[in-house]
Amino acid sequence: RRRIVVKNTPFLVVNLPDDAAAQRICERSILVRRIVEIWGEGSSYDEARASAAAASKELLKKHSGAAISWSSHVDTFGRSVSAEECDVIRRRFSHIQFEGPVRMSEPDRQFWVVEEHHVALHEGERIPSDRAPDRVFFGRQVAASTNKSLVHRYNLKQREYLGPTSMDNQLSLIMANMAHVRPGSFVYDPFVGTGSIL
């Protein structure tokens, strides 16, 4: 079996001037799922917990209150986690005291625990569930993709006609996005109808 190294993870750390900049990126992007403001990070859960505890003292003044609802989630790359494991992971950060009510549907604030793994795997293998992550992040969701529904809306499986050369819907959306296509735009189809991108 071919051996691959999972070290170029989909997580990218960037410096942005404010929340509005993050929201503009998500509005324009097809591939970005969300942008999270890092409150704590470390090479282990203990380090991430300590880092988040120190930063949250000041940040909670702005993002926590009796009337501010919140929820917490877990994201991993390279391994799946069960609902029970997610609960255990979330409780590792229970020392950060949010005042408001928990609301899983449309909360005022969303917080994420992100596990990053750098490990060599054989193709098709998954990271063992008991393996410790190489990096752990905790933070507040600043923005989320507004274009995710487009990927599902134009899913190839939902097409009435599917040709042998039909392009993947996500690639088609990326091409249209790069060309700044908007409603009312005039577009030349580079595949003359055979690529199924329009």
Side-chain angles (χ1 to χ4, degrees), residues 63-132:
H63 298 292
S64 180
I68 299 176
S69 61
W70 63 280
S71 65
S72 64
H73 311 273
V74 176
D75 193 6
T76 63
F77 176 68
R79 81 177 188 102
S80 300
V81 288
S82 65
E84 292 76 16
E85 287 177 294
C86 284
D87 284 339
V88 170
I89 291 171
R90 280 193 289 259
R91 287 190 181 126
R92 289 176 184 258
F93 293 88
S94 60
H95 62 295
I96 300 175
Q97 297 294 313
F98 298 105
E99 295 179 32
V102 175
R103 184 185 301 154
M104 297 307 289
S105 178
E106 298 183 4
D108 298 316
R109 302 286 188 274
Q110 292 187 58
F111 296 89
W112 286 86
V113 180
V114 178
E115 281 190 3
E116 191 173 37
H117 292 266
H118 306 161
V119 61
L121 296 171
H122 287 99
E123 193 171 12
E125 283 184 334
R126 303 291 292 177
I127 293 173
S129 61
D130 59 348
R131 185 187 186 278

Side-chain angles (χ1 to χ4, degrees), residues 7 14 18 30 55 78 106 111 136 160-161 167:
K7 63 179 180 180
V14 297
D18 50 34
I30 298 296
E106 298 183 4
F111 296 89
V136 179
E160 291 185 16
Y161 172 77
M167 182 177 286

Side-chain angles (χ1 to χ4, degrees), residues 111-172:
F111 296 89
W112 286 86
V113 180
V114 178
E115 281 190 3
E116 191 173 37
H117 292 266
H118 306 161
V119 61
L121 296 171
H122 287 99
E123 193 171 12
E125 283 184 334
R126 303 291 292 177
I127 293 173
S129 61
D130 59 348
R131 185 187 186 278
D134 293 286
R135 202 84 186 149
V136 179
F137 299 90
F138 177 83
R140 173 183 67 95
Q141 179 174 300
V142 176
S145 173
T146 58
N147 295 316
K148 187 176 179 181
S149 61
L150 289 175
V151 176
H152 297 292
R153 179 179 174 187
Y154 294 107
N155 192 317
L156 291 180
K157 295 178 181 178
Q158 298 176 8
R159 302 266 181 99
E160 291 185 16
Y161 172 77
L162 189 63
T165 57
S166 294
M167 182 177 286
D168 176 79
N169 60 321
Q170 200 166 33
L171 290 177
S172 300

